[in-house]
Amino acid sequence: GGGGNAPPADVKDGSAASSSSEFKRPDKHRGKLFFALPNGKAILYELEGTASEASPEKKIEVKCKCKRTEMQGLLVNNWLNTHQGFDVKIDVGGDDKSVQVTGPKSLDVPEMSSREYKLKFFAYRAGTTNVSVTFTNPKTKENVRYELEFVAGDVQEKVLPLLETCVRRRKVIGEEIYNPLDEQVTVSSFSCEDPGIFVQTPIVVPPKGSSRIKIVYNPLVVSARKDGVKLSVASEQLGEFVYSLSLSATEAGTDTTMRFTTDLGSQAIQTYHFRSFATEAADAEYECEIKGSEFTVPTTVTAKVVAAGSDGADTAVDVCYEPSNMGGVRDTLVIKSKGKAGMFQVALIGKCDKPKRKGPVEVKAGSSATIEFKNVLSEDAEYTFSINNPAFTLGSTTAKIAKKDKCKISISYSPSEDSPGFDVGNLLIVCKKMKHPWIYYVRGSK
């Protein structure tokens, strides 16, 4: 008999239908296979093959940190006994513009050898990115393909230099943030484990450009050195930027010195201003304390609550110096937050001179005037009163006055017939415990 025709056989890429069949392009290939039989007959097969995309040479999973360049090597073999040059095509899955995958556009491999291709991966945000890298011989169209899955985890912390300052004295450092995108991005927020750290947001970063963020350290309380303090600065488009801080806050010592000068029996009042950085009502309540008795202040003062990172609120407290003896005295005013807004210390220096002459005290004829006199001593004391003109009469000539208490001295005026229309005199107040008297000038008129 004659030869018979068998139905076409479909041959997929990777089958063993023909050792000489090569599928180099994704087109259909047709051929015939003829068998001559011993009995004189023959069998003819019509062949049709379809070349599908080759399986990847290798599938690789890469775990890495975001915001850090990851280098991945891909080993490319040259199976020919002649040099091969490959064109390299990188396909990145998804549409995350903040992911960057780069590498050389070509690779040359010597005959019958291998060469490593360096692929760079950089992700600004945590997530998974699928990447396909194809090495194609431009002449034969033969290719080798790698499939990679990059799993970007938490961001790698950047360690910054030590920030060391005294309380309420700002220390500022800057950090550049680069935007690789073709559109501007916004750094919208920050968070930190230490309340003394502040970053002014929002910050706009231009396309393909950079902006400098200012990290402000303004501690309100003394703190020993702390390492590994986490600061996170966030952008919706670029994810988190994480920094590892080392912080140290030392004592400020005395903030300022206030000097007072007055005479015995008088007062000197000055106002001390300080800036409160309290961001909560509980922190804005301050207690005022002076150990000695020569200076006095209100026991508490309340500051305005301010926003974090602001220049603080000006807060005032009146300090009164009322000496009990002549000479000099030193003390310290301590203003301390009831919460976490810190402490202020002010050196107080007072100088007291001998009593100054006071007056005139005006007295009308036939009437009286009253002088209010205070015992400024820190103990009870006996005082004597006298006046050197008989036209004036004192209500009393002695008085025992409790410490820091007051008494009233009454002065009457009765002019003589030959008075010129007015009289003058000096009221003398003497205490045996004091070296110098108090003198009041008195003037009587008809």
Side-chain angles (χ1 to χ4, degrees):
N5 290 337
D10 286 334
V11 182
K12 300 294 184 182
D13 183 25
S15 70
S18 171
S19 60
S20 63
S21 298
E22 295 183 2
F23 306 105
K24 301 175 182 178
R25 292 178 298 276
D27 301 321
K28 286 188 177 182
H29 296 262
R30 293 179 174 83
K32 294 180 179 181
L33 182 60
F34 178 80
F35 292 94
L37 301 178
N39 59 5
K41 296 183 180 181
I43 300 174
L44 177 67
Y45 289 91
E46 291 184 2
L47 306 178
E48 184 177 284
T50 302
S52 62
E53 185 176 357
S55 300
E57 182 78 7
K58 195 173 184 180
K59 292 185 177 181
I60 304 173
E61 182 185 51
V62 182
K63 293 184 178 181
C64 58
K65 297 280 188 180
C66 59
K67 292 188 175 65
R68 187 180 73 178
T69 300
E70 181 72 20
M71 298 292 294
Q72 179 62 42
L74 302 176
L75 192 63
V76 180
N77 298 315
N78 180 1
W79 57 92
L80 301 179
N81 58 4
T82 183
H83 165 274
Q84 278 199 89
F86 293 96
D87 292 338
V88 183
K89 181 182 179 184
I90 300 174
D91 294 308
V92 181
D95 58 355
D96 190 345
K97 296 179 182 179
S98 67
V99 172
Q100 299 174 347
V101 185
T102 59
K105 294 182 179 180
S106 62
L107 180 69
D108 292 328
V109 184
E111 59 274 10
M112 304 301 294
S113 62
S114 302
R115 180 162 288 176
E116 188 177 57
Y117 179 84
K118 298 289 189 180
L119 182 69
K120 290 183 181 180
F121 175 83
F122 189 94
Y124 277 86
R125 298 185 296 184
T128 301
T129 304
N130 293 312
V131 178
S132 174
V133 183
T134 305
F135 301 88
T136 304
N137 185 321
K139 295 180 180 179
T140 66
K141 305 304 179 183
E142 292 177 290
N143 64 73
V144 177
R145 180 166 54 89
Y146 286 84
E147 290 185 356
L148 302 98
E149 182 180 71
F150 287 92
V151 182
D154 293 336
V155 64
Q156 177 75 22
E157 293 182 357
K158 181 177 181 180
V159 179
L160 298 184
L162 171 66
L163 287 171
E164 185 174 21
T165 184
C166 61
V167 293
R168 297 184 304 279
R169 183 169 296 173
R170 294 185 178 188
K171 189 72 174 288
V172 181
I173 59 173
E175 270 297 309
E176 292 287 338
I177 290 184
Y178 176 70
N179 173 19
L181 307 183
D182 294 324
E183 57 187 35
Q184 73 175 24
V185 301
T186 301
V187 176
S188 56
S189 64
F190 83 96
S191 63
C192 186
E193 299 168 346
D194 191 287
I197 291 292
F198 179 78
V199 178
Q200 183 67 55
T201 55
I203 300 169
V204 176
V205 188
K208 301 291 185 181
S210 62
S211 291
R212 192 172 183 84
I213 64 170
K214 291 182 178 180
I215 301 172
V216 181
Y217 181 42
N218 186 24
L220 301 182
V221 295
V222 175
S223 173
R225 174 166 174 163
K226 297 182 293 184
D227 295 319
V229 178
K230 183 178 178 181
L231 167 64
S232 174
V233 180
S235 165
E236 181 180 353
Q237 300 94 329
L238 300 181
E240 277 190 315
F241 295 83
V242 180
Y243 305 94
S244 179
L245 308 178
S246 294
L247 307 176
S248 177
T250 59
E251 289 187 5
T254 301
D255 290 276
T256 189
T257 299
M258 300 179 72
R259 300 179 183 272
F260 300 77
T261 300
T262 188
D263 61 281
L264 191 63
S266 298
Q267 294 179 343
I269 298 176
Q270 295 184 35
T271 301
Y272 171 64
H273 292 265
F274 66 95
R275 301 205 73 80
S276 169
F277 294 92
T279 56
E280 299 178 6
D283 299 335
E285 292 286 335
Y286 292 85
E287 294 178 324
C288 305
E289 180 184 6
I290 298 176
K291 292 183 178 180
S293 59
E294 305 290 272
F295 297 92
T296 56
V297 289
T299 56
T300 60
V301 62
T302 302
K304 291 182 179 179
V305 176
V306 299
S310 72
D311 292 332
D314 181 70
T315 310
V317 58
D318 288 336
V319 183
C320 176
Y321 171 52
E322 188 176 48
S324 60
N325 211 335
M326 289 185 294
V329 65
R330 291 175 178 266
D331 214 326
T332 301
L333 165 62
V334 178
I335 303 174
K336 187 176 182 180
S337 168
K338 293 182 179 180
K340 300 173 292 184
M343 180 177 67
F344 301 81
Q345 296 186 78
V346 183
L348 305 176
I349 299 177
K351 180 184 177 183
C352 178
D353 298 325
K354 67 179 182 179
K356 291 182 179 180
R357 185 183 177 108
K358 295 178 173 59
V361 179
E362 298 286 351
V363 188
K364 292 292 185 181
S367 63
S368 62
T370 301
I371 295 174
E372 192 171 69
F373 179 77
K374 183 177 182 179
N375 174 19
V376 295
L377 305 182
S378 55
E379 57 182 324
D380 299 350
E382 185 89 23
Y383 290 86
T384 60
F385 315 123
S386 61
I387 195 163
N388 62 354
N389 189 327
F392 298 97
T393 305
L394 300 177
S396 62
T397 56
T398 62
K400 186 173 183 179
I401 310 173
K403 64 178 181 179
K404 304 299 181 182
D405 201 1
K406 297 177 181 179
C407 80
K408 293 182 178 181
I409 304 172
S410 176
I411 305 173
S412 301
Y413 174 49
S414 300
S416 60
E417 293 183 358
D418 57 351
S419 172
F422 68 93
D423 286 283
V424 294
N426 290 320
L427 169 63
L428 201 66
I429 302 175
V430 178
C431 177
K432 292 182 179 180
K433 297 180 179 181
M434 301 299 297
K435 181 179 179 181
H436 298 280
W438 286 266
I439 300 175
Y440 285 81
Y441 173 68
V442 181
R443 185 175 186 276
S445 58
K446 293 182 179 181

